[in-house]
Amino acid sequence: MTTPALARAAALDAADPLHSYRDLFVGAQDSSIPAYLDGNSLGRPLRASLDRIKAFIVEDWGGRLIRGWDEQWFDMPIAMGDMLAATVLGAAAGQTTIGDSTTVLLYKLARGALAMRPGRTEIVVDRDNFPTDRYVLESIAHDLGLTLRWIESDPRGGVDAQELAAAVSERTALVVLSHVAYRSAYLLDAAAAAQVTHDAGALLLLDLCHSVGSVPLELDSWGVDFAVGCTYKYLNGGPGSPAFAYVRAEYLDDFRQPVWGWMGRDQPFEMAQGYEPAQGIRRMLSGTPPILGMLAIQDTLELIGTAGMAAVRAKSVALTGYALELVREHLVPLGAEISSPLEPERRGGHLMIDHPRFAELTAKLWNRGVIPDFRPPRGLRLGLSPLSTSFREVTVGIIAVREELVRSDQPAL
């Protein structure tokens, strides 16, 4: 690796006001993983979470046992939802809860939203939305006899307000879009999308999986109706940590989700006959919430609260901008193509780089401890988590990609 590249990265790290946060993460100094560039798929765990989870097992679970439900756990999904809303969602209390997976919550929100627009027959979604979103909506459309109205979005970009306006009509019940596109990192103008959707009399459901904890959100002021997102990416909740759901306050009295379970019933411990939804956002719950899975999320929210989302976003823009410079210098001359928006205001926290040989090179990079993410058909996705990724990691990772591309061009002996 060239000394100037490392020297520049060192200078950027030294000037980074969030650089010391990296030391708070488990494995951040592990020399066997010189470049972890997949934080937008699975974030590193925080050291504080080790202590929190151990204390929970020994003191709360082991010490309080079933009494924990009365003392704390029953209200934990709502309390955590409020913490999430205040720290990273730009939402008032009482509209967010945690529980289930992204897939299940997406289904609940979509079905509940559609029931609020009876007589309308279409769901609008883009072709390049995340597979789960598309599959869930295909299932719902099939079951309810609705039509999916597809937006043929550019896989290197995303859906803009004009494209959305051309797709919605008086038949549209629901629009489902990702705030940050999982492939290109295109950053949706959510306020404009909400306005276009509402002008058509429809409802907007946002997928926040690739933006929460990386991009500032203002769900209330944007006019978003419903939102869903995961917690194991930029929120570092761990593999399979529960997702969250947001329901705008004005809809809560009428909102009915389709999976009726005892934890979402009014007065659940009465064990009464017949289902009556709980008041407020608790009605989004179904079964017993995953208490253990919520623990690590708290540490990241506390850390983001200390740093501030403005500083997190500034670091994210700096990381992706620096990565773009390195890609142009080292990978574009070797045939790589940038498949993410170049303007920082239109880009989330990751980058997509395309090359015909990235599929075969990904395993070789992983063997070197350089860990990006491959997305078919030929994309290398660089996920740069602002709190745990250093400029040195970005440099080491992109230079390693260049070395593997050069090596793959060499004729076999």
Side-chain angles (χ1 to χ4, degrees):
M1 183 179 300
T2 59
T3 301
L6 282 178
R8 186 181 177 206
L12 289 170
D13 282 328
D16 172 22
L18 299 184
H19 183 63
S20 63
Y21 284 51
R22 187 169 180 270
D23 294 333
L24 303 176
F25 289 85
V26 176
Q29 305 300 332
D30 184 353
S31 61
S32 69
I33 306 177
Y36 185 58
L37 305 179
D38 205 3
N40 66 325
S41 283
L42 179 65
R44 291 183 180 275
L46 277 161
R47 295 183 184 278
S49 298
L50 296 175
D51 296 331
R52 186 186 293 272
I53 292 170
K54 181 180 178 180
F56 174 83
I57 292 174
V58 174
E59 300 167 13
D60 297 341
W61 180 8
R64 303 309 298 160
L65 296 171
I66 197 67
R67 293 174 292 184
W69 285 109
D70 291 328
E71 296 166 352
Q72 181 182 10
W73 304 339
F74 181 76
D75 293 323
M76 194 170 175
I78 313 302
M80 282 287 299
D82 286 347
M83 183 181 182
L84 187 79
T87 308
V88 293
L89 298 185
Q95 302 173 102
T96 308
T97 189
I98 296 180
D100 301 317
S101 67
T102 304
T103 303
V104 173
L105 289 180
L106 178 67
Y107 177 82
K108 289 180 174 183
L109 288 169
R111 284 293 301 264
L114 289 166
M116 298 177 71
R117 290 295 183 268
R120 292 187 170 229
T121 59
E122 293 186 356
I123 305 170
V124 172
V125 63
D126 59 301
R127 289 279 186 192
D128 203 47
N129 211 324
F130 191 75
T132 278
D133 300 57
R134 291 183 275 117
Y135 302 159
V136 166
L137 296 175
E138 286 173 5
S139 168
I140 291 173
H142 176 270
D143 289 347
L144 299 183
L146 302 177
T147 298
L148 288 181
R149 182 66 58 193
W150 295 99
I151 298 176
E152 304 294 338
S153 55
D154 181 358
R156 296 175 180 235
V159 179
D160 62 28
Q162 288 185 328
E163 290 173 310
L164 180 58
V168 298
S169 71
E170 71 281 357
R171 298 181 299 274
T172 306
L174 180 66
V175 173
V176 181
L177 299 170
S178 287
H179 184 229
V180 169
Y182 85 100
R183 186 190 302 273
S184 70
Y186 173 84
L187 180 58
L188 176 75
D189 184 339
Q195 185 64 57
V196 170
T197 300
H198 295 159
D199 286 347
L203 297 167
L204 175 64
L205 167 52
L206 281 190
D207 182 332
L208 305 177
C209 285
H210 285 88
S211 55
V212 64
S214 173
V215 176
L217 303 170
E218 295 293 340
L219 297 186
D220 283 355
S221 64
W222 289 342
V224 173
D225 302 308
F226 307 96
V228 66
C230 63
T231 61
Y232 46 78
K233 300 180 189 295
Y234 297 110
L235 298 183
N236 312 101
S241 59
F244 63 88
Y246 164 91
V247 178
R248 193 169 185 82
E250 65 190 80
Y251 301 124
L252 279 171
D253 288 343
D254 299 322
F255 184 80
R256 297 290 187 274
Q257 58 94 355
V259 185
W260 295 357
W262 80 296
M263 273 288 188
R265 191 195 189 281
D266 187 49
Q267 301 299 321
F269 291 100
E270 290 183 357
M271 309 293 179
Q273 287 293 328
Y275 180 81
E276 295 292 338
Q279 295 299 307
I281 192 64
R282 176 168 284 280
R283 64 183 55 198
M284 274 299 298
L285 298 178
S286 298
T288 305
I291 301 301
L292 190 61
M294 297 186 209
L295 298 180
I297 305 167
Q298 298 174 70
D299 297 305
T300 299
L301 291 177
E302 290 175 1
L303 196 62
I304 292 175
T306 300
M309 273 305 303
V312 171
R313 175 58 175 165
K315 171 73 177 289
S316 178
V317 169
L319 283 171
T320 54
Y322 176 63
L324 278 173
E325 293 179 24
L326 294 178
V327 168
R328 289 191 187 97
E329 180 180 356
H330 298 289
L331 302 184
V332 169
L334 299 177
E337 300 175 1
I338 299 169
S339 298
S340 291
L342 300 181
E343 306 89 345
E345 66 274 12
R346 296 178 58 238
R347 186 175 67 239
H350 66 270
L351 293 177
M352 179 65 76
I353 315 299
D354 282 320
H355 193 282
R357 285 199 296 278
F358 278 161
E360 66 189 74
L361 296 184
T362 300
K364 296 177 180 178
L365 290 167
W366 280 34
N367 287 336
R368 295 178 57 166
V370 173
I371 306 178
D373 204 1
F374 178 75
R375 284 293 177 261
R378 55 183 203 144
L380 205 64
R381 195 174 65 171
L382 309 179
L384 312 177
S385 187
L387 295 175
S388 61
T389 304
S390 68
F391 289 91
R392 178 185 174 86
E393 278 185 283
V394 175
T395 306
V396 169
I398 291 175
I399 296 302
V401 175
R402 183 193 68 184
E403 291 171 353
E404 292 298 337
L405 278 174
V406 170
R407 187 175 294 118
S408 69
D409 277 336
Q410 302 301 315
L413 297 178

